[in-house]
Amino acid sequence: MEGEVYVINSGKGGVGKTTATANVGSALSMRGHRVLLIDADIGLRNLDVVMGLENRIVYDIVQVIEGVCQPQQAMMRDRLTENLYVIPAAQTRDKSAVTGEQVKKLCDELKQDFDYIIIDSPAGIEQGFKNAMAAADKAIVVTTPDVAAIRDADRVIGFIEAAGLSKPELILNRVRPGMVRRGDMMTTEDILDLLSVSLLGIVPEDEKIVVSTNKGVPAVHDMNCRSGESFRRIAARVEGEDVPMMRMEVRDGIFTWFKKMVGFKGTVRANA
Amino acid sequence: MKRPAVAENLKEIVKRAPSLSELGKRMNRPHALETIGGLVKRAFEKEEASKYAAHNRLQAVLLQDRSSLSAEGLGALRHDLRLVMSEYVIADRDSMEMDVRQCGEDLMLIANVRVNVVSDPAEELDEEPKRLLSPRRAAALKRELLEVVSGYLSIDAGSVQVEEERFSDSIALSVSVKIEEGEGFSEDASASHGMEPAWRPTAD
């Protein structure tokens, strides 16, 4: 059966497109699917380092499109999960090196061999974004709960719809539950109301993401990581499973809380 | 002699006592206490939760972004509205604000100016406060507004409203009109003013 091509974009940079691509891709392959990740950010490649594959690059997407090599030669097999491959972006070329039609032709060819192809789009709404979108069947938009990211996400949603893709789904990234509770961060409902899209998942702000990027191991591999859990659930939803949204609050049991209280009293006494 | 010692101790303890947020961190539940702290702070400072500001500002910005009327188009409309309103009231031209806002189901164009007035103690005793515009003038302003705005947007002709709100040192005159066609500026209006339609990606 023919696979589905997803594009992950955001408009604004730095909201977590590459992190989302790496994690959703890894989680889908952990669920037994054949997955290909394509870094479409030509000139600013990043997916390779986030996946920890920077030392394995031989060929890149521009060389594939120019016919220098076969697509299979440019695919790097993931270190941690089976059936996960990455085609890196070129670092020394710019976005005009490829066209949307070429990317589409490549994906159409490759989707015979994969269940999911996920394209990591560059930020912005220029040529690179158009190239990435041209090949996709479905789009996922990543945003953070801040005004600049949401505004850009809205623009991108408009372009995706104008391009004839189905209504994109939203990943709300880097949510800080404490701030939401205090009323200093918009709630998920506020944001869905503004953007009028459906929600694919909520990911809490998590220091472990930095650690996972440092190591080049996507957070979904850490079973105790909350953001990783969010991405695992997102992967399940991509597959069509109906999984409840992750609860953003970490609630301790009464016993743990009591233990902490006792511990806390002890430290005060020690200080005094 | 024990009492002062106890008091000293207490003082010392109070001095060393951690702040609310620090307490929260020690308990590894930073949010619980920060929330209480934030609520208490807010109650005293009468500060509105910033998420409302974010939501409202975004709502206005997104409406403009989605519309086919460009920033220049809105600027021209703002300019024209300012001219019309300054024929009726003497106000600082720069004081006029224009905004497109979602009010429930409706999309409204709202403009307002503030007119400074010297408050007259005798006048405050009057049953009826002084108005900026007589009903007749207000009706004339409505007609003119309708003409100006419909050059830019398709609007609901029956929805034009002119209101005055009295403050201690000023009167705010606000006009509002409902924009038709869901959440968009009329394509014709923007086209006739030479506005560019929204960018649409083309196949390469």
Side-chain angles (χ1 to χ4, degrees), chain A residues 89-104:
Chain A
Q91 185 71 326
T92 51
R93 306 290 293 270
D94 65 49
K95 268 130 203 164
S96 57
V98 297
T99 67
E101 262 171 31
Q102 288 170 324
V103 180
K104 184 169 168 43

Side-chain angles (χ1 to χ4, degrees), chain A residues 105-122:
Chain A
K105 194 167 153 261
L106 177 68
C107 288
D108 284 347
E109 203 179 296
L110 294 176
K111 70 182 173 188
Q112 312 300 328
D113 303 330
F114 289 95
D115 300 321
Y116 295 100
I117 297 179
I118 304 177
I119 305 172
D120 184 14
S121 167

Side-chain angles (χ1 to χ4, degrees), chain B residues 19-200:
Chain B
S19 70
L20 268 182
S21 60
E22 209 172 306
L23 264 178
K25 273 178 204 148
R26 283 196 200 166
M27 288 156 69
N28 205 12
R29 296 183 54 119
H31 308 312
L33 287 173
E34 268 179 39
T35 309
I36 297 169
L39 286 176
V40 170
K41 196 173 154 214
R42 200 152 278 144
F44 282 110
E45 293 177 2
K46 294 198 173 157
E47 183 191 10
E48 198 185 34
S50 64
K51 75 155 195 165
Y52 297 110
H55 190 263
N56 293 339
R57 289 174 54 223
L58 263 173
Q59 208 161 39
V61 167
L62 294 189
L63 284 171
Q64 279 187 25
D65 285 354
R66 287 171 189 170
S67 69
S68 52
L69 197 68
S70 63
E72 298 88 70
L74 283 172
L77 174 57
R78 186 177 285 124
H79 174 79
D80 287 359
L81 275 179
R82 195 176 289 164
L83 283 183
V84 172
M85 287 172 83
S86 62
E87 279 172 28
Y88 287 81
V89 290
I90 301 158
D92 179 8
R93 283 196 170 188
D94 295 329
S95 77
M96 197 198 81
E97 287 179 0
M98 190 190 84
D99 203 3
V100 178
R101 243 178 271 166
Q102 186 89 39
C103 301
E105 292 280 287
D106 302 326
L107 189 59
M108 307 290 287
L109 176 79
I110 297 165
N112 53 58
V113 286
R114 251 172 202 259
V115 181
N116 291 326
V117 288
V118 186
S119 61
D120 181 357
E123 191 192 299
E124 274 169 29
L125 297 173
D126 286 353
E127 295 261 317
E128 246 179 72
K130 201 173 147 191
R131 294 187 64 85
L132 281 177
L133 298 175
S134 66
R136 210 168 58 86
R137 294 270 290 165
L141 174 59
K142 270 189 197 178
R143 273 197 304 277
E144 248 188 88
L145 282 171
L146 194 62
E147 207 171 295
V148 168
V149 181
S150 55
Y152 291 87
L153 306 162
S154 67
I155 49 171
D156 176 358
S159 68
V160 189
Q161 284 199 346
V162 175
E163 276 164 10
E164 285 177 29
E165 195 178 346
R166 178 114 216 192
F167 297 94
S168 60
D169 59 346
S170 63
I171 298 176
L173 177 73
S174 74
V175 297
S176 63
V177 59
K178 198 168 115 190
I179 300 171
E180 279 188 336
E181 286 183 24
E183 52 176 46
F185 290 85
S186 80
E187 298 258 328
D188 305 343
S190 62
S192 68
H193 284 259
M195 306 308 162
E196 278 186 11
W199 178 83
R200 278 174 210 287

Side-chain angles (χ1 to χ4, degrees), chain A residues 101 151 154 159 182 194, chain B residues 16 42 65-66 199 204:
Chain A
E101 262 171 31
R151 184 185 192 177
D154 187 70
F159 289 138
R182 269 174 287 154
L194 286 167
Chain B
R16 291 185 181 205
R42 200 152 278 144
D65 285 354
R66 287 171 189 170
W199 178 83
D204 288 298

Side-chain angles (χ1 to χ4, degrees), chain A residues 36-39 60-61 64 71 74-75 85-89 106 110:
Chain A
L36 172 66
L37 308 181
I38 298 177
D39 189 348
D60 58 52
I61 186 165
V64 172
M75 287 178 198
Y85 296 84
V86 180
I87 296 183
L106 177 68
L110 294 176

